[in-house]
Amino acid sequence: MAVAVLCAAAVLAGVLQPAVGTAADGGAHSCVSSARASGGGPARRVLDITRRTRRELGLEAALVRVTVDGREVVTGAFGESMTGVPAKPNMHFRPGSVAIAYLGTVLLQLVDEQRVRLDDPVSRWLPGLPHADRITLRMLGSSTSGLADYVTDPDFLAAIAADPFRQWTGPELVGISTDEPLWYDPGANWNYSHANFVILGAALERITGTRLDRLLEQRVMRPLGLRDTRNGYTPDIPPPVLHAFTSERGTYEESTFWNPSWTTAPGAVITTHICDLARSAEAIGTGELLSRHSHRVQLNPGTVGLGGPTATCPATVCQANTEAVHYGLGLIIQNGWIVQNPSFFGYAAVQAYLPDRRLAIAVATTPGRETPDGNTAMTITQRIAAAIAHGHPLASG
């Protein structure tokens, strides 16, 4: 399996296509390309960077939206979804770990409501889970539980490569991680583990008595107006669809409808479009749905200063968390930017928010046959940040 399947774990046709959201497009709500930008302002720089980087990296498609204070700077789409089908901003794609920030937000809402405490043990709701008496809600959200990451398991990766259409269950995924010894004492170190968020989703369901997809809809998507962001329990994507392609299995092939059930908690396997992604970046970045105190905790739940290799956990896994670059509670902090950067099955995306400038950047990409490995949406985002947010580089980690 190519390295793209692991990119969520990393902490540390060529012209602008006008698009109109209509009923024939599947009802995507008013996410359209801006009028062509002229002159040398930020909008033109964003479009030029996106167009040029798409060509340089050989991408099939690149979608972009930038806002300041929630107001559009520019929205654009370049390339094709499929041969002869221009990419458009209202096309839906998979944003993977973006939903993890929503899980963290819901958890902190429950803390604000005094329904839970972050340091409550998970055994209170999931008593049968191994190590549940030692692992807290905070440790799940901040990925400091010590649980192994199932996407590093060779047998799991082989199973995904052999059958990318397989439907995985939460217990199956968590079982892969809990069958391994803890990588360190809970709370003593840091490593990204997808298992943390599968478990957190199950805990949130038990705490609230509400199915996770409905919980996220009620507490995140609906309040933020994310009308084109939704969970899927099947590999289907609502139309219009941004199709994806990948060489992860050794040959370049379409991967649009490969099954993403392994990526996070059932009920949080979402699709979205670029306008919702930019709105999400702004809302999560400002802590719109949280108290000020909980938003501060979201940005540093105690991870700064944690992380480092041990005899059982190499530096590539147990990574150092610094003030500049660290993991928050379901999100990443990089030089002041608040980020999520999913990449899997031919889809790459970034939502990034810079509080100092009230600047949101959303990018989604799909690779071509010769596209290099890595999150190509992050490459575009970094270049946009360097061009329009001087003095605030978005580090690659």
Side-chain angles (χ1 to χ4, degrees):
M1 175 75 54
V3 71
V5 85
L6 301 177
C7 283
V11 165
L12 317 185
V15 296
L16 182 63
Q17 299 288 346
V20 178
T22 67
D25 288 325
H29 295 93
S30 302
C31 185
V32 300
S33 292
S34 308
R36 291 183 182 274
S38 59
R44 170 51 57 196
R45 292 199 294 275
V46 168
L47 296 182
D48 287 347
I49 288 166
T50 306
R51 181 192 301 108
R52 186 169 58 249
T53 307
R54 186 191 78 81
R55 289 174 174 167
E56 174 191 328
L57 299 180
L59 300 172
E60 288 289 342
L63 313 181
V64 63
R65 182 173 171 89
V66 174
T67 66
V68 174
D69 253 346
R71 295 187 295 272
E72 180 193 31
V73 174
V74 70
T75 305
F78 297 85
E80 294 183 320
S81 171
M82 297 185 294
T83 302
V85 180
K88 297 182 179 182
N90 66 342
M91 287 180 166
H92 298 103
F93 54 87
R94 303 193 192 283
S97 59
V98 165
I100 290 172
Y102 302 166
L103 296 178
T105 295
V106 171
L107 173 58
L108 288 167
Q109 288 175 339
L110 297 173
V111 172
D112 282 339
E113 296 163 13
Q114 299 184 346
R115 296 177 63 177
V116 300
R117 297 175 302 170
L118 279 181
D119 296 318
D120 286 338
V122 180
S123 57
R124 180 174 170 186
W125 300 279
L126 302 172
L129 178 75
H131 317 295
D133 59 334
R134 303 174 61 198
I135 295 172
T136 67
L137 296 173
R138 183 193 303 269
M139 293 172 192
L140 294 178
S142 61
S143 210
T144 58
S145 68
L147 289 169
D149 189 359
Y150 56 80
V151 302
T152 65
D153 182 272
D155 291 338
F156 171 79
L157 295 178
I160 289 283
D163 183 8
F165 298 98
R166 175 175 171 176
Q167 179 76 24
W168 294 82
T169 68
E172 281 181 308
L173 297 169
V174 172
I176 297 170
S177 292
T178 56
D179 280 350
E180 298 293 325
L182 289 172
W183 278 344
Y184 49 83
D185 289 337
N189 207 325
W190 183 91
N191 71 283
Y192 191 93
S193 175
H194 290 71
N196 289 315
F197 305 106
V198 178
I199 297 167
L200 179 57
L204 292 174
E205 288 187 329
R206 293 285 183 89
I207 292 164
T208 62
T210 304
R211 205 172 72 181
L212 187 60
D213 62 324
R214 295 172 181 165
L215 187 65
L216 296 181
E217 169 64 25
Q218 292 166 6
R219 286 181 168 266
V220 178
M221 274 83 98
R222 190 184 304 161
L224 297 181
L226 304 180
R227 294 187 293 172
D228 284 284
T229 302
R230 64 202 70 174
N231 170 71
Y233 284 105
T234 75
D236 189 34
I237 300 177
V241 179
L242 181 68
H243 285 250
F245 306 84
T246 184
S247 300
E248 289 180 18
R249 300 200 303 170
T251 185
Y252 188 68
E253 57 188 327
E254 179 164 3
S255 53
T256 308
F257 300 109
W258 287 5
N259 197 320
S261 55
W262 60 269
T263 56
T264 192
V269 182
I270 61 174
T271 56
T272 194
H273 62 36
I274 201 68
C275 294
D276 272 11
L277 191 64
R279 170 71 178 121
S280 170
E282 175 198 16
I284 296 299
T286 59
E288 183 173 328
L289 299 175
L290 299 174
S291 69
R292 289 185 180 181
H293 173 75
S294 283
H295 184 50
R296 287 195 296 270
V297 171
Q298 189 175 36
L299 300 184
N300 180 14
T303 49
V304 172
L306 284 180
T310 69
T312 57
C313 192
T316 53
V317 174
C318 287
Q319 300 175 18
N321 283 252
T322 67
E323 187 69 38
V325 180
H326 63 271
Y327 201 76
L329 205 145
L331 43 76
I332 304 163
I333 311 301
Q334 294 182 251
N335 292 339
W337 292 84
I338 301 164
V339 180
Q340 271 292 5
N341 59 352
S343 178
F344 65 96
F345 280 178
Y347 288 106
V350 172
Q351 69 169 41
Y353 185 77
L354 182 62
D356 285 356
R357 300 287 182 89
R358 301 185 298 279
L359 170 66
I361 303 174
V363 176
T365 60
T366 56
R369 291 180 182 274
E370 304 301 324
T371 299
D373 289 340
N375 188 321
T376 52
M378 179 58 85
T379 302
I380 294 174
T381 305
Q382 289 171 330
R383 293 177 179 183
I384 291 171
I388 67 174
H390 302 295
H392 296 274
L394 179 51
S396 59

